[in-house]
Amino acid sequence: MAELPANDIDIDEIWVSVTEAAEKTGYNRHTMRKLAWQVAKKPEEEREFKMRRRSYGWELWLPDLIAYIEKPGHGPR
């Protein structure tokens, strides 16, 4: 899937799984999972976007994630 321009992404204030985050942003699921693990290693107050652990994996706060990947030098782009 081609990467979507940030302006074209529908940003709902919702929690999304890593798979849903990949679909919304146009990134590979593996890349999003790797990004989630890198951010999860940091203390909660130092994380660039909100996330929470669930029994099936990580959930990411979509508005914070989109803001993070839009910044130059951040995100998997």
Side-chain angles (χ1 to χ4, degrees):
M1 175 187 275
E3 295 175 1
L4 298 173
N7 299 345
D8 294 343
I9 299 172
D10 184 25
I11 304 173
D12 296 325
E13 292 192 1
I14 57 172
W15 290 96
V16 294
S17 68
V18 170
T19 302
E20 293 168 332
E23 291 172 2
K24 291 268 190 189
T25 60
Y27 289 115
N28 182 302
R29 181 185 177 282
H30 176 72
T31 302
M32 292 305 298
R33 186 176 59 142
K34 185 176 176 182
L35 176 63
W37 274 104
Q38 289 173 348
V39 173
K41 290 179 184 178
K42 298 178 182 181
E44 190 170 346
E45 55 278 346
E46 293 179 17
R47 294 179 183 166
E48 290 85 356
F49 50 87
K50 293 182 220 168
M51 52 191 310
R52 59 187 182 188
R53 181 79 174 140
R54 294 292 186 214
S55 60
Y56 54 84
W58 291 101
E59 284 188 332
L60 314 172
W61 185 243
L62 187 57
D64 289 352
L65 175 63
I66 298 300
Y68 174 76
I69 64 175
E70 284 180 345
K71 293 180 183 176
H74 289 121
R77 291 186 190 184

